[in-house]
Amino acid sequence: MPVESTAEIAEILEYETIAVVGCSSTPGKAAHDVPKYLLDHGYDVIPVNPYADEIFGREVYDSLADVEAAIDVVCIFRPSEEVSGIVDAALERDDVAVIWTQQGIRDDEAAARAESEDRDVVQDRCMKVQHRRLVA
């Protein structure tokens, strides 16, 4: 079952390193403003976007496979139909503990695959909203 309880979400928000797949360089877009908020609140945000070189003054990676640093959470800002491939890429890494799809994004089959690999999954929730509600 995907993570839904307040206690489990609060525990996930204690992780530090978040790779944001689909991170945007355009202020005003959720895929920019949410990771910026997370960065401003102490998270180590790793932008993943094959069409950008730098976001928030940080190096941007083309894919999860290109990220050399350890990743705790993969936060997905891509359409639901792209989630499956991103989850597969996350599952190829041993360090990813959580896969989080932002509000309006979900793929139940991919979530089940991730859970079968002992990864926590949060679907269709905004990380910024949950952080404000439970931490800030």
Side-chain angles (χ1 to χ4, degrees):
M1 294 288 303
V3 171
E4 298 205 6
S5 79
T6 297
E8 289 173 303
I9 290 172
E11 191 173 310
I12 288 168
L13 291 171
E14 291 177 14
Y15 283 109
E16 296 177 2
T17 305
I18 304 168
V20 180
V21 178
C23 191
S24 174
S25 58
T26 307
K29 290 181 113 178
H32 174 88
D33 295 348
V34 171
K36 177 73 168 104
Y37 170 90
L38 296 170
L39 186 64
D40 291 346
H41 284 82
Y43 291 94
D44 181 10
V45 173
I46 300 171
V48 179
N49 180 334
Y51 304 107
D53 295 323
E54 184 180 295
I55 300 175
F56 316 127
R58 295 175 158 245
E59 179 180 358
V60 179
Y61 296 88
D62 289 345
S63 69
L64 288 174
D66 294 331
V67 178
E68 294 176 10
I71 298 170
D72 298 318
V73 179
V74 171
C75 180
I76 301 172
F77 275 97
R78 298 300 303 148
S80 296
E81 56 270 14
E82 294 181 26
V83 169
S84 182
I86 297 165
V87 168
D88 290 343
L91 293 177
E92 290 179 16
R93 301 181 61 105
D94 293 331
D95 52 356
V96 175
V98 179
I99 296 168
W100 185 306
T101 65
Q102 281 295 125
Q103 194 166 342
I105 304 168
R106 71 181 303 121
D107 180 328
D108 293 334
E109 283 185 21
R113 281 199 318 275
E115 289 167 339
S116 74
E117 297 280 334
D118 294 323
R119 315 299 172 97
D120 288 327
V121 177
V122 179
Q123 292 197 97
D124 192 19
R125 289 182 186 256
C126 178
M127 207 166 200
K128 177 179 173 181
V129 168
Q130 297 305 312
H131 183 273
R132 280 185 169 164
R133 182 173 74 94
L134 301 171
V135 179

